[in-house]
């Protein structure tokens, strides 16, 4: 049985005060980490305080991006060493907003995934197709290519420990969720690709999240699908009540 992993991705939202209020409202309420993995991926300036405040609770803290180098002349960037020292445990990599707005390539995402493992961070690797690609029937090929390029060069054990987030771009922040069947169909394909790329054990172990307009009203249906092992949630992760409903749903799957 794969444990469900529910991650909030706050994107560029909240103030330091609001982030702290969220942590105080949720850190004692999330289910035990043995039942479901509950993660909040927050902007860099909030991470240190959030890690301190969640110490000893089942709420874990993730970053939303990082550079692949350890240090150097990369003005404005944050390194995996910095995140690790703070006590951050997860990092979202290759989100479609990073790929589209900040022009991150598959090669850069792959370097970041390696850097995450080299520094003991668990990567949440995002893949997903545009509406044009879906309409042109290119979804499976596109997602397969993104998955293989992101995982290139990893060991089988590292692949098994990767969290892959399938986020169809047309469903992000649009209120337009993929149907649970559409979402599961792609997640099943991703698992098959992992099996061919690594081995059957890695395919069985790898956790595959769905992301794109997930909310308390649709999360149960999505998580009940055979190959969906969690959710990566933007808008509906910003409020404590809503986030708690999402992690509670993860506990029941
Ligand atoms: O991009 C997402 C999570 O990474 C999804 O965002 P929404 O849940 O707001 O659609």
């Amino acid at each position: 049985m794969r444990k469900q992993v529910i991650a909030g991705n706050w994107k560029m939202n909240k103030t330091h005060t609001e982030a702290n209020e969220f942590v105080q409202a949720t850190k004692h309420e999330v289910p035990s980490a043995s039942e479901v993995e509950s993660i909040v991926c927050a902007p860099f300036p909030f991470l240190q305080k959030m890690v301190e405040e969640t110490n000893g609770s089942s709420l874990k803290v993730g970053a939303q991006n990082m550079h692949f180098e350890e240090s150097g002349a990369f003005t404005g960037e944050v390194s995996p060493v910095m995140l690790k020292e703070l006590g951050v445990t997860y990092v979202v990599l290759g989100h479609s907003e990073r790929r589209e707005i900040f022009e991150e390539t598959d090669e850069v995402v792959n370097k970041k995934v390696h850097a995450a493992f080299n520094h003991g961070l668990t990567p949440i690797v995002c893949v997903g197709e545009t509406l044009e690609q879906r309409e042109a029937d290119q979804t499976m090929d596109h997602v397969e290519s993104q998955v293989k390029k992101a995982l290139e060069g990893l060991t089988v054990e590292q692949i098994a420990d990767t969290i892959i987030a399938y986020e169809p771009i047309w469903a992000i922040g649009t209120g337009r969720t993929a149907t649970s069947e559409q979402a599961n169909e792609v997640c099943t394909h991703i698992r098959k690709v992992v099996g061919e790329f690594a081995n059957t054990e890695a395919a069985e172990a790898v956790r595959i999240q769905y992301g794109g307009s997930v909310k308390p009203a649709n999360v149960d249906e999505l998580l009940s699908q055979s190959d969906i092992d969690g959710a990566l949630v933007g808008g509906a992760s910003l409020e404590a009540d809503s986030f708690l409903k999402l992690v509670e749903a993860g506990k029941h799957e």
Side-chain angles (χ1 to χ4, degrees):
M1 258 305 264
R2 294 179 292 268
K3 201 198 305 175
Q4 297 274 332
V5 48
I6 309 291
N9 173 12
W10 283 354
K11 310 192 179 184
M12 198 173 71
N13 290 296
K14 290 197 185 290
T15 63
H16 192 264
T17 308
E18 289 165 352
N20 194 40
E21 283 167 1
F22 179 99
V23 168
Q24 300 312 323
T26 53
K27 67 177 180 179
H28 297 304
E29 306 299 327
V30 294
S32 138
S34 62
E35 297 175 300
V36 55
E37 261 166 76
S38 309
I39 309 163
V40 180
C41 299
F44 293 129
F46 311 156
L47 296 175
Q48 180 174 12
K49 173 93 169 159
M50 288 177 69
V51 169
E52 284 168 10
E53 290 294 324
T54 54
N55 189 15
S57 104
S58 291
L59 184 61
K60 301 296 171 216
V61 177
Q64 300 172 11
N65 178 36
M66 66 176 194
H67 199 276
F68 52 81
E69 294 286 355
E70 294 183 4
S71 64
F74 302 102
T75 300
E77 292 292 311
V78 169
S79 87
V81 177
M82 297 172 191
L83 295 177
K84 183 65 184 172
E85 196 196 10
L86 288 186
V88 168
T89 36
Y90 299 83
V91 58
V92 175
L93 296 175
H95 191 280
S96 60
E97 288 149 19
R98 302 281 333 158
R99 293 177 190 259
E100 287 199 329
I101 307 169
F102 301 98
E103 299 180 2
E104 278 190 21
T105 61
D106 286 320
E107 288 69 30
V108 166
V109 174
N110 178 250
K111 284 185 182 175
K112 292 183 177 193
V113 175
H114 278 274
F117 279 117
N118 290 341
H119 295 281
L121 299 162
T122 300
I124 300 175
V125 181
C126 303
V127 297
E129 81 286 3
T130 61
L131 187 57
E132 296 73 55
Q133 288 169 325
R134 176 156 283 267
E135 287 173 346
D137 210 12
Q138 294 166 351
T139 298
M140 299 302 187
D141 286 349
H142 177 69
V143 168
E144 175 166 344
S145 160
Q146 284 185 317
V147 168
K148 286 181 177 166
K149 286 178 180 159
L151 303 181
E152 183 70 48
L154 296 180
T155 66
V156 167
E157 291 75 23
Q158 288 171 332
I159 291 175
D161 287 343
T162 301
I163 299 170
I164 299 174
Y166 167 56
E167 299 204 311
I169 295 170
W170 49 271
I172 295 178
T174 57
R176 191 178 156 184
T177 326
T179 65
S180 50
E181 290 76 20
Q182 279 175 325
N184 194 51
E185 194 185 18
V186 181
C187 293
T188 303
H189 184 63
I190 292 173
R191 198 175 303 287
K192 181 167 152 276
V193 169
V194 170
E196 288 160 5
F197 196 73
N199 63 22
T200 319
E201 288 74 33
E204 272 306 305
V206 73
R207 266 98 52 84
I208 306 174
Q209 298 174 310
Y210 168 77
S213 299
V214 177
K215 42 190 182 289
N218 61 20
V219 70
D220 288 317
E221 165 79 13
L222 287 159
L223 297 187
S224 70
Q225 299 297 310
S226 58
D227 283 303
I228 301 181
D229 311 312
L232 183 58
V233 189
S237 74
L238 290 167
E239 298 302 325
D241 285 355
S242 169
F243 178 76
L244 287 172
K245 285 185 186 141
L246 297 169
V247 293
E248 194 63 31
K251 181 177 134 183
H252 299 305
E253 288 307 322

